[in-house]
């Protein structure tokens, strides 16, 4: 299979691409800086220079020529959750997805995998969240996720939408949490009782690799590990680092609870998370 990837230098694709190459797939990547991409990805990925937001339709179609599948992993969240990063990510999720789906439907591509998130659901407290739980359409992220997913669902391609939990593992936000715990700066917001669904980024990459090969398609799936209460996550993380547990943050609101079930992904993809959500020494 030849796979066209956007977001090839990001944290997910750096785990995914070696898996695809190891099983004999070929990878073509749309990258903004070929020199930087070559140094990150090595010699075995075909690079096409281009920006998803400015490349024209004909160029994009040409870039995908001969590819069987498209994977959209591009975000602009590397610099955090600033207003600019959210706007740029919204553009990648709406305009970028529209462009990719349009080009993919015209050429050799049959399959399309879209990265999405499992923390845009409405707050369900103690209840388990399956994929038919509504997206919270308040705020800045939920409406973009809902629109992006609708675009994919309307496509005639064989699609998967993979709603990832909060990423942990090397080069994710967990690094910041570790630094803050070591520095004694981390606090437990609100009661800490809320459920959080994490996923190791390499397990997420496994799910993308499985979705590319699956005999099924046209499914929205939670790609999440066993949920954990946030205060327990921070306490266990502190223990694994042999540092003091974080103190509460008095008066802070309790963040949204999302206790996501990965049963559908398990059943459809034969996928289960296999890495611990704790940093490995
Ligand atoms: N589920 C989650 O928790 C979740 C989801 C996404 C991200 N994150 C977090 O966000 C942080 C960064 O993640 P990341 O490494 O995936 O994000 P990133 O560093 O922003 O990388 C995203 C990828 O998108 C590409 N890209 C961005 N804008 C583009 C454009 N206009 N055209 C083409 N490609 C474009 C980047 O390419 P360039 O090389 O050209 O920059 C890069 O390959 C991590 O801490 C991660 O954990 C978390």
């Amino acid at each position: 299979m030849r796979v066209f990837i956007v977001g090839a230098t990001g944290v997910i694709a750096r785990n995914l691409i070696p898996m695809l190459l190891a099983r004999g797939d070929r990878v073509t990547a749309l990258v903004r800086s070929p020199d930087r991409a070559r140094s990150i990805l090595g010699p075995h990925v075909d690079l096409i220079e281009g920006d998803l937001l400015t490349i024209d339709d004909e160029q994009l179609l040409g870039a995908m020529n001969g590819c069987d599948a498209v994977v959209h992993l591009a975000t602009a969240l590397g610099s955090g959750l600033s207003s600019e990063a959210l706007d740029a990510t919204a553009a990648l999720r709406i305009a970028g997805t529209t462009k990719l789906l349009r080009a993919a439907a015209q050429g050799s591509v049959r399959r399309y995998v879209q990265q999405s998130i499992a923390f845009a659901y409405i707050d369900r407290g103690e209840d388990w969240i399956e994929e038919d739980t509504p997206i919270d359409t308040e705020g800045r992220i939920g409406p973009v996720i809902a629109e992006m997913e609708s675009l994919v669902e309307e496509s005639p391609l064989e699609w998967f939408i993979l709603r990832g939990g909060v990423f942990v593992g090397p080069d994710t936000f967990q690094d910041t949490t570790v630094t803050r715990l070591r520095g004694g700066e981390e606090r437990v917001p609100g009661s800490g009782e809320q459920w959080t669904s994490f996923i190791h980024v390499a397990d997420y990459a496994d799910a993308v690799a499985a979705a590319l090969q699956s005999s099924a398609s046209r499914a929205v799936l939670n790609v999440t590990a066993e949920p954990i209460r946030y205060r327990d996550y921070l306490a266990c993380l502190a223990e694994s680092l042999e540092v003091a547990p974080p103190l509460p943050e008095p008066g802070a609101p309790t963040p949204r609870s999302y206790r996501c079930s990965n049963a559908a992904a398990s059943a459809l993809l034969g996928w289960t998370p296999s890495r611990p959500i704790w940093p490995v020494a």
Side-chain angles (χ1 to χ4, degrees):
M1 170 181 276
R2 183 187 271 273
V3 184
F4 185 82
I5 300 183
V6 188
T9 56
V11 68
I12 304 164
R14 293 198 303 272
N15 286 273
L16 173 66
I17 289 173
M19 293 175 191
L20 298 182
L21 295 176
R23 76 182 186 196
D25 290 342
R26 295 188 61 185
V27 175
T28 300
L30 181 74
V31 297
R32 291 183 294 180
S33 164
D35 288 347
R36 182 169 167 272
R38 183 64 70 208
S39 69
I40 294 171
L41 301 174
H44 302 299
V45 175
D46 297 324
L47 302 179
I48 307 271
E49 183 172 358
D51 182 314
L52 180 59
L53 297 177
T54 54
I55 191 169
D56 71 39
D57 285 1
E58 211 164 302
Q59 282 176 307
L60 191 55
L61 187 58
M64 284 179 188
N65 186 32
C67 291
D68 306 290
V70 169
V71 182
H72 181 356
L73 302 173
T75 73
L77 300 174
S79 53
L81 290 175
S82 66
S83 194
E84 293 74 20
L86 288 175
D87 283 348
T89 298
L92 288 165
R93 286 178 168 155
I94 306 291
T97 299
T98 303
K99 256 186 186 183
L100 281 174
L101 288 168
R102 196 164 51 217
Q106 288 178 52
S108 53
V109 172
R110 292 179 49 215
R111 183 153 291 232
Y112 182 92
V113 180
Q114 176 68 55
Q115 189 227 337
S116 186
I117 55 175
F119 39 93
Y121 289 113
I122 56 168
D123 189 334
R124 293 290 306 278
E126 292 297 300
D127 291 345
W128 283 90
I129 291 181
E130 287 166 357
E131 289 80 353
D132 58 356
T133 301
I135 300 264
D136 183 354
T137 49
E138 300 292 316
R140 289 190 65 178
I141 296 176
V144 172
I145 292 297
E147 188 177 344
M148 174 189 80
E149 292 192 352
S150 298
L151 292 167
V152 178
E153 286 168 3
E154 287 159 13
S155 158
L157 296 163
E158 297 170 0
W159 53 263
F160 275 100
I161 294 168
L162 302 183
R163 292 178 176 161
V166 177
F167 286 143
V168 293
D171 300 328
T172 68
F173 185 71
Q174 189 176 56
D175 293 344
T176 307
T177 308
V178 165
T179 304
R180 288 174 53 82
L181 279 168
R182 286 204 165 112
E185 301 159 62
E186 189 64 2
R187 295 287 176 270
V188 182
S191 69
E193 292 269 307
Q194 74 277 13
W195 293 94
T196 303
S197 297
F198 293 97
I199 188 70
H200 193 289
V201 72
D203 280 330
Y204 186 90
D206 275 345
V208 176
L212 286 167
Q213 279 194 325
S214 172
S215 56
S217 68
R218 304 183 75 81
V220 182
L221 300 172
N222 290 338
V223 175
T224 49
E226 188 64 25
I228 183 169
R229 292 189 194 278
Y230 196 65
R231 59 149 197 247
D232 295 341
Y233 167 70
L234 289 181
C236 292
L237 193 53
E239 194 179 327
S240 75
L241 299 168
E242 299 180 353
V243 300
L247 299 170
E249 187 177 356
T254 301
R256 196 186 318 187
S257 181
Y258 39 99
R259 188 183 194 186
C260 297
S261 163
N262 65 17
S266 244
L268 208 63
L269 299 179
W271 164 92
T272 45
S274 63
R275 283 98 178 164
I277 63 168
W278 316 110
V280 178

